[in-house]
């Protein structure tokens, strides 16, 4: 019974963890009040780096060595971080919906570039990416520590001076500036950390899916990740994690419903957004509990 | 649950998974999985495949199923993405306990999901995966859809038969569509091999509707043949704008334009477009006639290629199962053994399908004997039309 359960849902469980981590990459800029939808762009970049490295530079016949996977994650994260600095400094001068539009444009530019390069395999993409593990579930050994590390890092960050600076900028950028918080520095920092997380998740996901193509970093993906954060809750680290896991699992949980499952899925999302505008996990829920005690 | 607790739970799960191995048996009716895109924008193709599989299910079950044992198709939607395809395949393999899977719809999905099935030693038959490298994913992966490199050249040869004077070719393709990009490569190689000169290669997006720059750049090179690889909406608009710009020569359309959905887009300007086909509704053979009749009675039109290919995929699995069953009764046997035996049987057989006679090489690549070229003929109302098959 265990065997069939883990065989059937092993992939989904790891995918939930990966998507939850990806949700954090969008949540971080949001803590500094920046509505950035650039995560899928960095996610795609990290994936392409892993896919290209493992199929060309480190091509192996047998199992792909795990240290190389970790190295790819590092490379993916660093490359995404560098690109984020280059993109972030000018883009973060924009606010609100204009920043969102600029980041959508960024994702589109990356997508069109990857469609046109030969190294990324054009529209078909890169396939036959070497596998470091024998089953989908074993990817948990890399995915789960990454999620835990990111959650701890983000939670600690929020408690630190930098985290409070993020919140100050989110609540009132002008006032924060007047109090001596450097808005540009902190906004770019939040954006870069988010990008690095997305790049690392991309590197794992490329191996995990066994193939990588331009359909991974699209506008649709941006909206999906935004939904993870909004439905989960955008005011606490746990929010995007729960949102990412739940929304990834929901279509599969609803599989027995049959053809209308995506309609039910959409209905549940709408219901969640209407009834819980703060998201599933909001600080208010925790505060009220404390009062009761 | 704390993360550490969860980690321990998972470790325990893996341990449990390796200790309690229960061998599954083949159920009655025998389960065959069909995982194609029933939702997302890929569902336009996936729906046609579902119909083909369903026709095959009732058709072969009414003719004795697998030597008297009925079989049942399990449909698990893949959606349009890679993760969806993997989830659907996992459900087929571990929950529905199918003997084989027909699917997925897109080649990119196949690169992700087929690997999962191959590891689990479950035979997969791709009904519409045409990209290079699909049968090479693993020993358990085969396809009934001929690759682009085999189908596409037929239309170029047909064009040269109609007008042997053609020398200059202009090529257009949708660069954001995986199929179109690989198809245009084949078209360009074929054109070169036939001694034609490619004067220009113009790119567009499947989401474009204005092709003024591509059309004027393309026609400036004075082509005598235009080859378009794209999808119905964009391809149709491009063809219309080419004709409105005064282009009079022959036009070849790729497989993405191989649908009646294009007719309302380019209207009277669709007329005369040549498209290579892996399937012809008018092909000879009693099986194709029976399939065509069933389809026409329900849907009041000719069956499309995707439907015929899905029918053929189910047929191949059923006929191979019959041979496995003759050697040793399938129903009640060990599932893992049947899957391996079925894979060998699929590759070994020759099948008389609506696509004509097909067989497989040892990698799982299909050998299809007959291909067709159709020319679009529009009706006077300019909204409907038909594919007229060239001899």
């Amino acid at each position: 019974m265990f065997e069939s359960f883990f065989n059937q849902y092993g992939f989904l469980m790891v995918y939930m963890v990966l998507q939850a981590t990806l949700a954090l990459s969008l949540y971080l800029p949001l803590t500094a009040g920046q509505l950035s939808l650039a995560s899928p762009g960095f996610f795609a970049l990290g994936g392409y780096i892993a896919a290209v490295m493992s199929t060309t530079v480190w091509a192996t016949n047998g199992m792909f060595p795990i240290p190389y996977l970790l190295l790819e994650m590092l490379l993916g994260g660093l490359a995404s971080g560098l690109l984020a600095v280059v993109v972030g400094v000018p883009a973060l001068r924009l606010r609100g919906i204009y920043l969102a539009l600029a980041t959508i444009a960024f994702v589109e530019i990356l997508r069109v570039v990857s469609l046109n390069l030969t190294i990324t395999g054009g529209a078909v993409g890169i396939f036959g990416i070497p596998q470091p593990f024998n089953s989908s579930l074993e990817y948990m050994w890399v995915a789960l520590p990454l999620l835990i590390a990111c959650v701890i890092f983000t939670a600690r960050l929020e408690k630190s001076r930098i985290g409070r600076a993020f919140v100050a900028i989110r609540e009132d950028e002008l006032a924060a500036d007047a109090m001596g918080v450097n808005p540009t520095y902190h906004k770019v920092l939040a954006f870069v950390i988010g990008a690095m997380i997305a790049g690392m998740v991309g590197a794992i996901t490329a191996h995990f899916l066994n193939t990588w193509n331009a359909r991974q970093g699209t506008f649709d993906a941006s909206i999906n990740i935004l939904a993870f954060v909004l439905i989960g809750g955008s005011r606490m680290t746990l929010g995007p994690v729960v949102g990412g896991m739940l929304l990834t699992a929901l279509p599969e949980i609803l599989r027995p419903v049959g053809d209308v499952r995506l309609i039910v899925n959409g209905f549940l999302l709408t219901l969640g957004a209407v009834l819980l505008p703060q998201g599933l996990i909001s600080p208010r829920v925790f505060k009220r509990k404390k009062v009761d005690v | 649950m704390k993360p550490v607790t969860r980690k321990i739970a998972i470790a325990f799960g893996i341990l449990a998974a390796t200790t309690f191995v229960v061998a599954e048996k083949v159920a009655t009716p025998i389960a065959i999985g069909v995982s194609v895109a029933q939702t997302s924008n890929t569902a336009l193709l996936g729906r046609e495949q579902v119909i083909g599989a369903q026709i095959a299910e009732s058709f072969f079950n009414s003719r004795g199923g697998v030597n008297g044992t009925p079989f049942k198709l399990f449909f698990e939607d893949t959606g349009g993405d890679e993760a969806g395809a993997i989830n659907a395949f996992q459900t087929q393999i571990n929950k529905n306990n199918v003997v084989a899977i027909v699917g997925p719809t897109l080649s990119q999905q196949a690169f992700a999901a087929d690997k999962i099935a191959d590891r689990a030693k479950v035979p997969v038959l791709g009904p519409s995966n045409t990209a290079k490298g699909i049968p090479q994913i693993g020993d358990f992966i085969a396809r009934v859809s001929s690759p682009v490199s085999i189908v596409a050249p037929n239309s170029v040869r047909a064009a040269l038969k109609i007008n042997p004077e053609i020398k200059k070719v202009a090529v257009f393709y949708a660069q954001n569509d995986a199929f179109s990009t690989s198809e245009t490569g084949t078209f360009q190689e074929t054109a070169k091999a036939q001694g034609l000169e490619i004067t220009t290669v113009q790119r567009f997006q499947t989401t474009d509707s204005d092709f003024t720059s591509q059309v004027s750049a393309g026609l400036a090179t004075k082509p005598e043949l235009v080859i378009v690889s794209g999808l119905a909406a964009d391809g149709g608009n491009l063809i219309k704008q080419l004709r409105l710009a005064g282009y009079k020569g022959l036009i070849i359309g790729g497989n993405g334009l191989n649908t009646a959905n294009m007719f309302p887009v380019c209207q009277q300007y669709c007329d005369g477009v040549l498209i290579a086909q892996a399937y012809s509704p008018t092909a000879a053979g009693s099986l194709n006639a029976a399939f065509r009749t069933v389809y026409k009675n329900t849907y009041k039109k000719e069956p499309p290629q995707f439907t015929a290919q899905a029918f053929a995929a189910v047929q191949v699995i059923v006929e191979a199962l019959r041979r496995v069953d003759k050697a040793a009764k399938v129903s009640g046997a060990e599932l893992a053994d049947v899957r391996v035996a079925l894979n060998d049987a699929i590759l070994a057989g020759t099948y008389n399908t609506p696509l004509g006679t097909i067989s497989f090489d040892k990698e799982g690549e299909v050998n299809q004997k007959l291909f067709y070229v159709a020319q679009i003929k529009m009706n006077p109302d300019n909204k409907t039309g038909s594919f007229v098959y060239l001899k």
Side-chain angles (χ1 to χ4, degrees), chain A residues 2 6-8 11 15 115-116 123 127 131 133-134 209-211 213 215-216 252 255 259 261-262, chain B residues 13 39 76-77 80 82-83 86-87 90 94-95 106 108 111-112 115 119 175-176 178 181 203:
Chain A
F2 274 121
F6 280 106
N7 276 342
Q8 189 182 344
F11 173 84
Y15 199 55
L115 277 172
N116 281 289
F127 53 89
Q131 297 294 307
F133 300 107
N134 273 319
L209 289 181
N210 187 44
T211 176
N213 52 53
R215 305 184 328 137
Q216 305 305 326
E252 288 308 308
R255 191 173 276 285
D259 278 358
R261 70 187 174 118
L262 290 190
Chain B
T39 56
E76 296 290 350
D77 173 30
E82 287 75 9
I86 293 178
N87 280 323
Q90 297 281 26
N94 299 299
K95 183 161 162 274
L106 298 178
Q108 291 112 314
F111 286 127
K115 188 83 193 165
R119 271 181 174 177
Q175 63 169 167
N176 60 336
T181 356
R203 299 164 176 187

Short mmCIF file of all heavy atoms in Angstrom, two decimals, chain A residues 2 6-8 11 15 115-116 123 127 131 133-134 209-211 213 215-216 252 255 259 261-262, chain B residues 13 39 76-77 80 82-83 86-87 90 94-95 106 108 111-112 115 119 175-176 178 181 203:
data_model
loop_
_atom_site.label_atom_id
_atom_site.label_comp_id
_atom_site.label_asym_id
_atom_site.label_seq_id
_atom_site.Cartn_x
_atom_site.Cartn_y
_atom_site.Cartn_z
N PHE A 2 1.91 1.25 0.89
CA PHE A 2 2.84 2.37 0.93
C PHE A 2 3.51 2.54 -0.43
O PHE A 2 3.67 3.64 -0.93
CB PHE A 2 3.92 2.13 1.98
CG PHE A 2 3.52 2.59 3.36
CD1 PHE A 2 3.48 1.70 4.41
CD2 PHE A 2 3.20 3.92 3.57
CE1 PHE A 2 3.11 2.12 5.68
CE2 PHE A 2 2.83 4.34 4.83
CZ PHE A 2 2.78 3.45 5.89
N PHE A 6 3.52 5.94 -2.63
CA PHE A 6 4.71 6.76 -2.90
C PHE A 6 5.08 6.73 -4.37
O PHE A 6 5.63 7.70 -4.91
CB PHE A 6 5.88 6.32 -2.02
CG PHE A 6 5.78 6.88 -0.64
CD1 PHE A 6 5.43 6.09 0.43
CD2 PHE A 6 6.02 8.22 -0.42
CE1 PHE A 6 5.32 6.62 1.70
CE2 PHE A 6 5.91 8.76 0.85
CZ PHE A 6 5.55 7.96 1.91
N ASN A 7 4.79 5.60 -5.05
CA ASN A 7 5.03 5.57 -6.49
C ASN A 7 4.14 6.58 -7.20
O ASN A 7 4.56 7.29 -8.10
CB ASN A 7 4.76 4.17 -7.04
CG ASN A 7 5.96 3.28 -6.85
OD1 ASN A 7 7.07 3.77 -6.64
ND2 ASN A 7 5.75 1.99 -6.93
N GLN A 8 2.87 6.61 -6.76
CA GLN A 8 1.93 7.47 -7.44
C GLN A 8 2.14 8.93 -7.09
O GLN A 8 2.08 9.79 -7.96
CB GLN A 8 0.50 7.06 -7.08
CG GLN A 8 -0.51 7.79 -7.94
CD GLN A 8 -1.93 7.43 -7.58
OE1 GLN A 8 -2.17 6.44 -6.90
NE2 GLN A 8 -2.86 8.24 -8.04
N PHE A 11 6.25 11.93 -7.16
CA PHE A 11 6.53 13.06 -8.04
C PHE A 11 5.81 14.31 -7.55
O PHE A 11 6.39 15.38 -7.43
CB PHE A 11 6.10 12.74 -9.47
CG PHE A 11 6.19 13.92 -10.39
CD1 PHE A 11 7.39 14.25 -10.99
CD2 PHE A 11 5.08 14.73 -10.63
CE1 PHE A 11 7.49 15.36 -11.83
CE2 PHE A 11 5.18 15.84 -11.46
CZ PHE A 11 6.39 16.15 -12.06
N TYR A 15 7.26 17.87 -6.29
CA TYR A 15 6.87 19.03 -7.09
C TYR A 15 6.24 20.11 -6.19
O TYR A 15 6.44 21.30 -6.39
CB TYR A 15 5.90 18.60 -8.20
CG TYR A 15 5.78 19.60 -9.33
CD1 TYR A 15 6.91 20.03 -10.00
CD2 TYR A 15 4.54 20.09 -9.72
CE1 TYR A 15 6.82 20.94 -11.03
CE2 TYR A 15 4.44 21.01 -10.75
CZ TYR A 15 5.58 21.42 -11.41
OH TYR A 15 5.49 22.33 -12.44
N LEU A 115 13.96 30.78 -27.21
CA LEU A 115 13.40 30.16 -28.42
C LEU A 115 14.35 30.30 -29.60
O LEU A 115 14.34 29.49 -30.52
CB LEU A 115 12.07 30.83 -28.79
CG LEU A 115 10.82 30.36 -28.06
CD1 LEU A 115 9.66 31.26 -28.42
CD2 LEU A 115 10.50 28.94 -28.43
N ASN A 116 15.16 31.35 -29.59
CA ASN A 116 15.99 31.64 -30.76
C ASN A 116 17.41 31.13 -30.68
O ASN A 116 18.10 31.07 -31.69
CB ASN A 116 16.00 33.15 -31.01
CG ASN A 116 14.74 33.59 -31.69
OD1 ASN A 116 14.54 33.31 -32.86
ND2 ASN A 116 13.86 34.24 -30.95
N ALA A 123 12.44 25.70 -29.76
CA ALA A 123 11.13 25.44 -29.18
C ALA A 123 11.02 24.03 -28.58
O ALA A 123 10.26 23.81 -27.65
CB ALA A 123 10.05 25.66 -30.21
N PHE A 127 16.26 17.79 -24.02
CA PHE A 127 15.65 16.61 -23.42
C PHE A 127 16.72 15.57 -23.09
O PHE A 127 17.87 15.71 -23.46
CB PHE A 127 14.57 16.02 -24.32
CG PHE A 127 15.01 15.74 -25.73
CD1 PHE A 127 15.56 14.51 -26.07
CD2 PHE A 127 14.87 16.70 -26.71
CE1 PHE A 127 15.95 14.26 -27.36
CE2 PHE A 127 15.28 16.45 -28.00
CZ PHE A 127 15.82 15.23 -28.34
N GLN A 131 19.83 11.89 -14.91
CA GLN A 131 19.13 11.80 -13.63
C GLN A 131 20.09 11.49 -12.49
O GLN A 131 20.83 10.51 -12.56
CB GLN A 131 18.07 10.68 -13.70
CG GLN A 131 16.98 10.94 -14.72
CD GLN A 131 16.12 12.11 -14.36
OE1 GLN A 131 15.59 12.19 -13.27
NE2 GLN A 131 16.03 13.08 -15.27
N PHE A 133 19.02 10.66 -9.51
CA PHE A 133 18.34 9.72 -8.62
C PHE A 133 17.59 8.66 -9.43
O PHE A 133 17.32 8.85 -10.61
CB PHE A 133 17.33 10.44 -7.72
CG PHE A 133 17.96 11.48 -6.85
CD1 PHE A 133 17.76 12.83 -7.13
CD2 PHE A 133 18.75 11.14 -5.77
CE1 PHE A 133 18.33 13.80 -6.35
CE2 PHE A 133 19.33 12.11 -4.98
CZ PHE A 133 19.13 13.45 -5.26
N ASN A 134 17.23 7.56 -8.75
CA ASN A 134 16.52 6.48 -9.43
C ASN A 134 15.02 6.69 -9.50
O ASN A 134 14.35 6.10 -10.33
CB ASN A 134 16.80 5.16 -8.71
CG ASN A 134 18.06 4.52 -9.24
OD1 ASN A 134 18.31 4.54 -10.45
ND2 ASN A 134 18.88 3.99 -8.35
N LEU A 209 12.19 17.13 -14.18
CA LEU A 209 11.26 16.94 -15.29
C LEU A 209 11.90 16.18 -16.45
O LEU A 209 11.22 15.79 -17.39
CB LEU A 209 10.74 18.28 -15.81
CG LEU A 209 9.78 19.07 -14.94
CD1 LEU A 209 9.38 20.35 -15.64
CD2 LEU A 209 8.55 18.25 -14.60
N ASN A 210 13.23 16.05 -16.42
CA ASN A 210 13.96 15.32 -17.45
C ASN A 210 14.04 16.08 -18.77
O ASN A 210 14.69 15.66 -19.72
CB ASN A 210 13.29 13.94 -17.67
CG ASN A 210 14.07 13.06 -18.60
OD1 ASN A 210 15.28 12.97 -18.49
ND2 ASN A 210 13.39 12.43 -19.53
N THR A 211 13.34 17.20 -18.88
CA THR A 211 13.38 18.00 -20.10
C THR A 211 13.16 19.46 -19.72
O THR A 211 12.57 19.75 -18.68
CB THR A 211 12.29 17.54 -21.09
OG1 THR A 211 12.30 18.42 -22.22
CG2 THR A 211 10.90 17.55 -20.49
N ASN A 213 12.26 23.42 -21.56
CA ASN A 213 11.98 24.17 -22.78
C ASN A 213 11.42 25.53 -22.42
O ASN A 213 11.20 25.84 -21.24
CB ASN A 213 11.01 23.40 -23.68
CG ASN A 213 9.77 22.98 -22.92
OD1 ASN A 213 9.11 23.80 -22.31
ND2 ASN A 213 9.47 21.69 -22.95
N ARG A 215 8.65 26.72 -22.52
CA ARG A 215 7.31 26.80 -21.93
C ARG A 215 7.37 26.85 -20.40
O ARG A 215 6.34 27.00 -19.75
CB ARG A 215 6.48 25.59 -22.37
CG ARG A 215 6.44 25.47 -23.89
CD ARG A 215 5.56 24.36 -24.41
NE ARG A 215 5.47 23.21 -23.56
CZ ARG A 215 4.33 22.58 -23.31
NH1 ARG A 215 3.22 23.01 -23.83
NH2 ARG A 215 4.32 21.52 -22.55
N GLN A 216 8.57 26.69 -19.82
CA GLN A 216 8.68 26.71 -18.36
C GLN A 216 8.57 28.13 -17.81
O GLN A 216 8.01 28.34 -16.75
CB GLN A 216 9.98 26.06 -17.91
CG GLN A 216 10.18 24.66 -18.44
CD GLN A 216 9.03 23.75 -18.11
OE1 GLN A 216 8.41 23.86 -17.07
NE2 GLN A 216 8.69 22.86 -19.03
N GLU A 252 -4.47 17.58 -8.65
CA GLU A 252 -4.30 16.13 -8.55
C GLU A 252 -5.27 15.53 -7.53
O GLU A 252 -5.78 14.43 -7.73
CB GLU A 252 -2.86 15.79 -8.17
CG GLU A 252 -1.87 16.01 -9.29
CD GLU A 252 -2.29 15.33 -10.58
OE1 GLU A 252 -2.58 14.12 -10.56
OE2 GLU A 252 -2.36 16.02 -11.62
N ARG A 255 -8.43 14.97 -9.16
CA ARG A 255 -8.43 14.10 -10.35
C ARG A 255 -9.65 13.18 -10.43
O ARG A 255 -10.22 13.01 -11.52
CB ARG A 255 -7.13 13.30 -10.41
CG ARG A 255 -6.92 12.57 -11.72
CD ARG A 255 -5.55 11.94 -11.82
NE ARG A 255 -4.51 12.85 -12.29
CZ ARG A 255 -4.36 13.26 -13.53
NH1 ARG A 255 -5.21 12.85 -14.45
NH2 ARG A 255 -3.40 14.08 -13.88
N ASP A 259 -13.60 15.33 -15.73
CA ASP A 259 -13.41 16.40 -16.70
C ASP A 259 -13.56 17.81 -16.13
O ASP A 259 -12.95 18.74 -16.62
CB ASP A 259 -14.40 16.24 -17.87
CG ASP A 259 -13.90 15.23 -18.87
OD1 ASP A 259 -12.78 14.73 -18.66
OD2 ASP A 259 -14.62 14.95 -19.84
N ARG A 261 -12.61 18.94 -13.33
CA ARG A 261 -11.76 19.21 -12.17
C ARG A 261 -11.14 20.60 -12.20
O ARG A 261 -10.99 21.23 -11.16
CB ARG A 261 -10.69 18.13 -12.02
CG ARG A 261 -9.63 18.17 -13.10
CD ARG A 261 -8.70 16.97 -12.97
NE ARG A 261 -7.78 16.96 -14.09
CZ ARG A 261 -6.47 17.05 -13.96
NH1 ARG A 261 -5.93 17.15 -12.79
NH2 ARG A 261 -5.71 17.02 -15.03
N LEU A 262 -10.81 21.09 -13.39
CA LEU A 262 -10.18 22.41 -13.44
C LEU A 262 -11.20 23.51 -13.16
O LEU A 262 -10.85 24.58 -12.67
CB LEU A 262 -9.49 22.63 -14.78
CG LEU A 262 -8.23 21.77 -14.98
CD1 LEU A 262 -7.47 22.20 -16.20
CD2 LEU A 262 -7.33 21.78 -13.76
N GLY B 13 8.66 5.99 4.98
CA GLY B 13 7.85 5.62 3.82
C GLY B 13 8.66 4.86 2.79
O GLY B 13 8.23 3.84 2.26
N THR B 39 -7.62 19.01 -21.10
CA THR B 39 -7.81 20.41 -20.72
C THR B 39 -6.62 21.21 -21.25
O THR B 39 -5.70 20.63 -21.81
CB THR B 39 -7.88 20.57 -19.19
OG1 THR B 39 -6.69 20.01 -18.63
CG2 THR B 39 -9.08 19.86 -18.60
N GLU B 76 -6.83 9.61 -18.18
CA GLU B 76 -6.30 10.52 -17.16
C GLU B 76 -5.73 11.74 -17.88
O GLU B 76 -4.79 11.63 -18.66
CB GLU B 76 -5.20 9.85 -16.32
CG GLU B 76 -5.68 8.66 -15.48
CD GLU B 76 -6.59 9.07 -14.32
OE1 GLU B 76 -6.71 10.27 -14.04
OE2 GLU B 76 -7.18 8.16 -13.71
N ASP B 77 -6.32 12.89 -17.62
CA ASP B 77 -5.95 14.12 -18.29
C ASP B 77 -4.51 14.55 -17.97
O ASP B 77 -4.10 14.53 -16.81
CB ASP B 77 -6.94 15.20 -17.84
CG ASP B 77 -6.58 16.58 -18.33
OD1 ASP B 77 -5.98 16.66 -19.41
OD2 ASP B 77 -6.91 17.56 -17.65
N GLY B 80 -1.74 20.61 -20.41
CA GLY B 80 -0.81 20.97 -21.47
C GLY B 80 0.64 21.02 -21.05
O GLY B 80 1.51 21.33 -21.85
N GLU B 82 4.28 19.65 -18.68
CA GLU B 82 5.08 18.46 -18.43
C GLU B 82 4.71 17.80 -17.10
O GLU B 82 4.57 16.58 -17.02
CB GLU B 82 6.57 18.82 -18.43
CG GLU B 82 7.16 19.11 -19.80
CD GLU B 82 6.75 20.47 -20.34
OE1 GLU B 82 6.16 21.26 -19.60
OE2 GLU B 82 7.02 20.74 -21.52
N ALA B 83 4.55 18.63 -16.05
CA ALA B 83 4.23 18.07 -14.73
C ALA B 83 2.89 17.34 -14.77
O ALA B 83 2.73 16.27 -14.17
CB ALA B 83 4.21 19.17 -13.68
N ILE B 86 3.32 13.93 -16.28
CA ILE B 86 3.96 12.98 -15.35
C ILE B 86 2.95 12.51 -14.31
O ILE B 86 2.85 11.30 -14.04
CB ILE B 86 5.19 13.63 -14.67
CG1 ILE B 86 6.29 13.88 -15.70
CG2 ILE B 86 5.71 12.74 -13.55
CD1 ILE B 86 7.52 14.56 -15.14
N ASN B 87 2.17 13.43 -13.74
CA ASN B 87 1.16 13.05 -12.75
C ASN B 87 0.16 12.07 -13.33
O ASN B 87 -0.23 11.10 -12.68
CB ASN B 87 0.44 14.29 -12.22
CG ASN B 87 1.26 15.02 -11.17
OD1 ASN B 87 1.93 14.40 -10.35
ND2 ASN B 87 1.23 16.34 -11.19
N GLN B 90 1.78 8.66 -13.71
CA GLN B 90 1.94 8.00 -12.41
C GLN B 90 0.63 7.36 -11.98
O GLN B 90 0.61 6.25 -11.45
CB GLN B 90 2.39 9.00 -11.34
CG GLN B 90 3.74 9.63 -11.60
CD GLN B 90 4.91 8.73 -11.22
OE1 GLN B 90 4.78 7.51 -11.22
NE2 GLN B 90 6.04 9.31 -10.92
N ASN B 94 0.38 3.38 -11.37
CA ASN B 94 0.30 2.89 -9.99
C ASN B 94 -1.11 2.73 -9.45
O ASN B 94 -1.34 1.96 -8.54
CB ASN B 94 1.07 3.83 -9.07
CG ASN B 94 2.53 3.89 -9.45
OD1 ASN B 94 3.23 2.89 -9.42
ND2 ASN B 94 2.99 5.07 -9.86
N LYS B 95 -2.07 3.50 -9.99
CA LYS B 95 -3.42 3.41 -9.45
C LYS B 95 -4.32 2.59 -10.37
O LYS B 95 -5.00 1.69 -9.94
CB LYS B 95 -4.00 4.82 -9.26
CG LYS B 95 -5.37 4.83 -8.63
CD LYS B 95 -5.69 6.20 -8.04
CE LYS B 95 -7.17 6.34 -7.82
NZ LYS B 95 -7.87 6.83 -9.04
N LEU B 106 1.69 16.11 -26.58
CA LEU B 106 2.81 16.90 -27.10
C LEU B 106 4.15 16.18 -26.92
O LEU B 106 4.35 15.46 -25.95
CB LEU B 106 2.90 18.24 -26.35
CG LEU B 106 1.72 19.18 -26.48
CD1 LEU B 106 1.97 20.43 -25.64
CD2 LEU B 106 1.48 19.56 -27.93
N GLN B 108 6.98 17.58 -26.14
CA GLN B 108 7.68 18.07 -24.95
C GLN B 108 7.20 17.33 -23.71
O GLN B 108 7.97 17.04 -22.80
CB GLN B 108 7.44 19.57 -24.74
CG GLN B 108 8.09 20.43 -25.79
CD GLN B 108 7.03 21.08 -26.64
OE1 GLN B 108 6.10 20.42 -27.08
NE2 GLN B 108 7.16 22.36 -26.90
N PHE B 111 8.84 13.88 -23.60
CA PHE B 111 10.22 13.84 -23.10
C PHE B 111 10.23 13.75 -21.58
O PHE B 111 11.14 13.16 -21.00
CB PHE B 111 10.99 15.07 -23.56
CG PHE B 111 11.36 15.04 -25.02
CD1 PHE B 111 11.05 16.08 -25.87
CD2 PHE B 111 12.03 13.93 -25.54
CE1 PHE B 111 11.40 16.03 -27.20
CE2 PHE B 111 12.38 13.88 -26.88
CZ PHE B 111 12.06 14.94 -27.72
N ALA B 112 9.24 14.34 -20.91
CA ALA B 112 9.19 14.30 -19.45
C ALA B 112 8.54 13.01 -18.95
O ALA B 112 9.10 12.31 -18.11
CB ALA B 112 8.43 15.52 -18.92
N LYS B 115 9.81 8.98 -19.79
CA LYS B 115 10.94 8.48 -18.98
C LYS B 115 10.42 7.76 -17.73
O LYS B 115 10.97 6.74 -17.33
CB LYS B 115 11.80 9.68 -18.58
CG LYS B 115 13.10 9.32 -17.92
CD LYS B 115 14.16 8.99 -18.94
CE LYS B 115 15.36 8.33 -18.27
NZ LYS B 115 16.23 7.70 -19.26
N ARG B 119 10.99 3.77 -16.91
CA ARG B 119 11.59 3.28 -15.67
C ARG B 119 10.71 2.23 -15.00
O ARG B 119 11.21 1.29 -14.41
CB ARG B 119 11.75 4.44 -14.69
CG ARG B 119 13.04 5.18 -14.82
CD ARG B 119 13.01 6.26 -13.77
NE ARG B 119 14.27 6.97 -13.70
CZ ARG B 119 14.47 8.01 -12.89
NH1 ARG B 119 13.50 8.42 -12.12
NH2 ARG B 119 15.61 8.62 -12.87
N GLN B 175 8.11 30.53 -34.82
CA GLN B 175 9.30 30.13 -34.07
C GLN B 175 9.02 29.76 -32.62
O GLN B 175 9.87 29.18 -31.97
CB GLN B 175 10.36 31.22 -34.13
CG GLN B 175 9.88 32.49 -33.48
CD GLN B 175 10.99 33.48 -33.31
OE1 GLN B 175 10.75 34.61 -33.03
NE2 GLN B 175 12.23 33.05 -33.48
N ASN B 176 7.81 30.06 -32.12
CA ASN B 176 7.53 29.69 -30.73
C ASN B 176 6.78 28.36 -30.63
O ASN B 176 6.36 27.97 -29.56
CB ASN B 176 6.74 30.79 -30.02
CG ASN B 176 5.42 31.08 -30.68
OD1 ASN B 176 5.26 30.81 -31.87
ND2 ASN B 176 4.48 31.58 -29.93
N ALA B 178 7.04 24.33 -31.11
CA ALA B 178 8.07 23.29 -31.22
C ALA B 178 7.91 22.51 -32.52
O ALA B 178 8.88 22.26 -33.24
CB ALA B 178 7.98 22.33 -30.04
N THR B 181 8.93 24.58 -35.67
CA THR B 181 10.38 24.80 -35.81
C THR B 181 11.07 23.54 -36.32
O THR B 181 11.99 23.63 -37.13
CB THR B 181 11.03 25.17 -34.46
OG1 THR B 181 10.02 25.29 -33.49
CG2 THR B 181 11.78 26.43 -34.54
N ARG B 203 10.30 34.47 -39.88
CA ARG B 203 9.77 33.92 -38.63
C ARG B 203 8.57 34.72 -38.14
O ARG B 203 8.52 35.93 -38.35
CB ARG B 203 10.84 33.98 -37.54
CG ARG B 203 12.06 33.19 -37.86
CD ARG B 203 13.17 33.63 -36.95
NE ARG B 203 14.34 32.81 -37.16
CZ ARG B 203 15.43 32.89 -36.41
NH1 ARG B 203 15.47 33.75 -35.41
NH2 ARG B 203 16.45 32.13 -36.65
#
